[in-house]
Amino acid sequence: MRKITAIRTAIVEANFQWTYVRVYSDVDGGLHGTGECFFAPGLEKIVSELGRLLVGEDFVNTERLVEKMKWASSGAGSSAGIIWNAISGIEAALLDLKGKYYEIPVYQLLGGKFRDEVRIYLDCHADSALEAFDVLLQPQQLEWMEASDDEDSMLDPSFFTRVGLRAKQIAELGYTALKFDLDLPGTDFQASQGYSIKNRDIDWMVNLVSAVREGVGDEVDIAFDAHWRYKAHEILAVMREIEPFRILWIEDPLPPHDLNGLAQLRRLSGLPVATGENIQLQQGFKPLIDGNLCDIVTPDLQKAGGLLEGKKIADMSNAANKTFAPHMIGGPLALMASCHLSAAVPNFLACEFHAHDVPFFHDLCEEGTDEWFRPGWVRPMEKPGFGIELDEKVMARYLHRDSRGF
């Protein structure tokens, strides 16, 4: 008893490809747990290959099974990379299954709660238009999406009025923290050298920050994402200009490998820096934390190594007196999993929510979201495991063309 019998995947096409992993067992006629991965090219195949290692294993030995997958894939680069997108989703499914088996919520497997409700901040993109991307971050127009406005409208002066109004409307729903994209419309970031910031670009960024602050007032936290695209001396010029607006953080101002650049920003700007979504495992975060190169640590728990690894990263951050704010762009299961961990760490600040405009987000759970979601807050469920189940009838309407579902 207590053996893993199968591992399967399903992909829902939302604003990103929400990739789900289900681990089946021989308990009670097929007791199963479900997790969510961060998307990646070929991810289903990787999950399938790793799944071969786990069939027949005792599913409660979570960390040993993660180590087994890590060692088996070491030749393929398991010190980092998309292997961890797969392992993180499998690990979440194992924890959901384990919680159901022992009839306790996942947060109890992580040490218990510090808080009953988890604060979530809404990623508002740059404007109100919803964008969808494939696994290589290429934009796509899906059947369920409304046609979006031309991006050139973001260069029109009326854009800032619209942004301020959207920020105000979202805050009035109950969100106490918002994030907007700081990087520019109409610029090409496909070249390896990136994009050089010009004076007019600095003006555009400052106007964006000003519009959001004016829209929400002083009591709502606002953060801005630079998407790791700039050089230190260029983004520093922007950071100095927006310091008076008292933002919650500037996120990923530099590529994750540019540790010297982060040190330069830390010396020369007083803005809080948040980073970590493209870093994996404790080993990846150690130089960032030991070097005091950021204020807020932001791993993505669907690819950083899993919830147990995320707990260790949070503890490392706490030991260095830094706050913890998970990056999260997945569906309701990824949000709930991230919030189970967020409830269980002392140094938590806020967890990202990226799917406000996905019309079927709230329908994708069998239980609905009324019990656990309200704008700005998530209540980790008291039911066993993560406490929510995916509605497979709803899933079937939005499955990726190459996914057969569970």
Side-chain angles (χ1 to χ4, degrees), residues 13-16 130-134 137-142 144-145:
E13 284 210 299
N15 52 338
F16 300 98
L130 177 66
E131 296 178 299
F133 298 91
D134 67 13
L137 289 178
Q138 300 304 298
Q140 55 183 350
Q141 186 71 29
L142 303 175
W144 54 264
M145 294 174 61

Side-chain angles (χ1 to χ4, degrees), residues 20-162:
Y20 295 104
V21 178
R22 181 162 289 173
V23 175
Y24 294 85
S25 76
D26 60 0
V27 176
D28 296 335
L31 186 70
H32 65 260
T34 311
E36 186 171 338
C37 307
F38 196 97
F39 62 84
L43 187 57
E44 283 190 297
K45 178 64 173 175
I46 297 172
V47 172
S48 176
E49 292 287 349
L50 292 172
R52 292 193 296 113
L53 298 172
L54 303 188
V55 171
E57 290 276 8
D58 185 342
F59 59 76
V60 303
N61 298 320
T62 315
E63 293 202 71
R64 188 184 70 80
L65 297 181
V66 168
E67 190 65 24
K68 182 176 183 177
M69 290 186 283
K70 178 181 179 181
W71 176 250
S73 57
S74 58
S78 65
S79 60
I82 61 175
I83 289 290
W84 285 105
N85 298 38
I87 295 176
S88 297
I90 294 170
E91 186 245 31
L94 289 169
L95 289 173
D96 186 42
L97 175 56
K98 186 174 181 178
K100 290 173 181 176
Y101 178 74
Y102 288 117
E103 299 185 341
I104 57 174
V106 167
Y107 70 75
Q108 292 288 12
L109 299 174
L110 300 170
K113 288 190 297 185
F114 281 88
R115 56 195 60 84
D116 292 324
E117 283 194 309
V118 171
R119 186 192 192 200
I120 57 174
Y121 70 88
L122 183 62
D123 189 317
C124 302
H125 319 296
D127 197 359
S128 58
L130 177 66
E131 296 178 299
F133 298 91
D134 67 13
V135 293
L136 293 175
L137 289 178
Q138 300 304 298
Q140 55 183 350
Q141 186 71 29
L142 303 175
E143 291 182 4
W144 54 264
M145 294 174 61
E146 297 180 2
S148 60
D149 295 332
D150 189 277
E151 195 179 51
D152 287 345
S153 65
M154 296 173 69
L155 300 176
D156 188 278
S158 65
F159 167 74
F160 301 109
T161 302
R162 297 198 309 272

Side-chain angles (χ1 to χ4, degrees), residues 151-229:
E151 195 179 51
D152 287 345
S153 65
M154 296 173 69
L155 300 176
D156 188 278
S158 65
F159 167 74
F160 301 109
T161 302
R162 297 198 309 272
V163 166
L165 179 60
R166 174 167 168 79
K168 181 176 185 293
Q169 291 170 339
I170 294 297
E172 288 174 346
L173 293 176
Y175 290 93
T176 63
L178 312 177
K179 185 174 77 175
F180 283 80
D181 293 347
L182 190 65
D183 40 340
L184 303 169
T187 52
D188 185 355
F189 292 100
Q190 295 181 22
S192 60
Q193 69 268 25
Y195 174 79
S196 282
I197 297 177
K198 303 175 179 63
N199 286 334
R200 63 177 174 83
D201 304 327
I202 296 176
D203 291 340
W204 190 93
M205 293 177 175
V206 173
N207 287 337
L208 174 68
V209 175
S210 177
V212 174
R213 174 55 77 202
E214 184 176 351
V216 301
D218 293 332
E219 297 305 312
V220 174
D221 287 326
I222 57 175
F224 294 88
D225 195 340
H227 291 117
W228 59 88
R229 287 173 167 163

Side-chain angles (χ1 to χ4, degrees), residues 101-387:
Y101 178 74
Y102 288 117
E103 299 185 341
I104 57 174
V106 167
Y107 70 75
Q108 292 288 12
L109 299 174
L110 300 170
K113 288 190 297 185
F114 281 88
R115 56 195 60 84
D116 292 324
E117 283 194 309
V118 171
R119 186 192 192 200
I120 57 174
Y121 70 88
L122 183 62
D123 189 317
C124 302
H125 319 296
D127 197 359
S128 58
L130 177 66
E131 296 178 299
F133 298 91
D134 67 13
V135 293
L136 293 175
L137 289 178
Q138 300 304 298
Q140 55 183 350
Q141 186 71 29
L142 303 175
E143 291 182 4
W144 54 264
M145 294 174 61
E146 297 180 2
S148 60
D149 295 332
D150 189 277
E151 195 179 51
D152 287 345
S153 65
M154 296 173 69
L155 300 176
D156 188 278
S158 65
F159 167 74
F160 301 109
T161 302
R162 297 198 309 272
V163 166
L165 179 60
R166 174 167 168 79
K168 181 176 185 293
Q169 291 170 339
I170 294 297
E172 288 174 346
L173 293 176
Y175 290 93
T176 63
L178 312 177
K179 185 174 77 175
F180 283 80
D181 293 347
L182 190 65
D183 40 340
L184 303 169
T187 52
D188 185 355
F189 292 100
Q190 295 181 22
S192 60
Q193 69 268 25
Y195 174 79
S196 282
I197 297 177
K198 303 175 179 63
N199 286 334
R200 63 177 174 83
D201 304 327
I202 296 176
D203 291 340
W204 190 93
M205 293 177 175
V206 173
N207 287 337
L208 174 68
V209 175
S210 177
V212 174
R213 174 55 77 202
E214 184 176 351
V216 301
D218 293 332
E219 297 305 312
V220 174
D221 287 326
I222 57 175
F224 294 88
D225 195 340
H227 291 117
W228 59 88
R229 287 173 167 163
Y230 300 110
K231 306 292 190 293
H233 68 282
E234 294 178 335
I235 197 65
L236 177 61
V238 178
M239 292 169 67
R240 284 172 165 168
E241 292 283 344
I242 63 177
E243 278 190 23
F245 295 98
R246 299 180 182 178
I247 70 172
L248 184 63
W249 69 63
I250 183 168
E251 184 169 327
D252 293 327
L254 300 175
H257 66 270
D258 190 1
L259 300 184
N260 289 333
L262 285 171
Q264 180 181 345
L265 298 185
R266 298 281 285 157
R267 288 195 309 270
L268 300 176
S269 171
L271 277 190
V273 171
T275 194
E277 70 180 79
N278 284 328
I279 301 174
Q280 293 167 310
L281 307 177
Q282 299 170 77
Q283 296 92 324
F285 281 89
K286 192 174 188 301
L288 188 72
I289 294 170
D290 288 352
N292 192 29
L293 300 180
C294 70
D295 302 280
I296 300 101
V297 178
T298 62
D300 190 300
L301 301 172
Q302 281 70 58
K303 65 177 177 179
L307 298 181
L308 293 168
E309 188 75 6
K311 177 69 161 56
K312 295 168 186 175
I313 294 166
D315 289 341
M316 287 173 59
S317 306
N318 191 43
N321 199 29
K322 297 186 183 301
T323 50
F324 181 78
H327 178 267
M328 202 297 298
I329 63 169
L333 190 59
L335 178 61
M336 178 58 75
S338 297
C339 287
H340 270 266
L341 174 57
S342 297
V345 299
N347 53 328
F348 170 74
L349 177 60
C351 177
E352 183 170 12
F353 174 50
H354 207 290
H356 175 79
D357 297 308
V358 176
F360 54 86
F361 176 87
H362 297 282
D363 299 326
L364 200 54
C365 298
E366 285 183 356
E367 301 83 359
T369 56
D370 292 344
E371 186 176 350
W372 58 270
F373 181 98
R374 63 185 176 94
W377 303 90
V378 165
R379 179 176 290 272
M381 297 286 275
E382 298 296 332
K383 299 175 183 177
F386 292 128

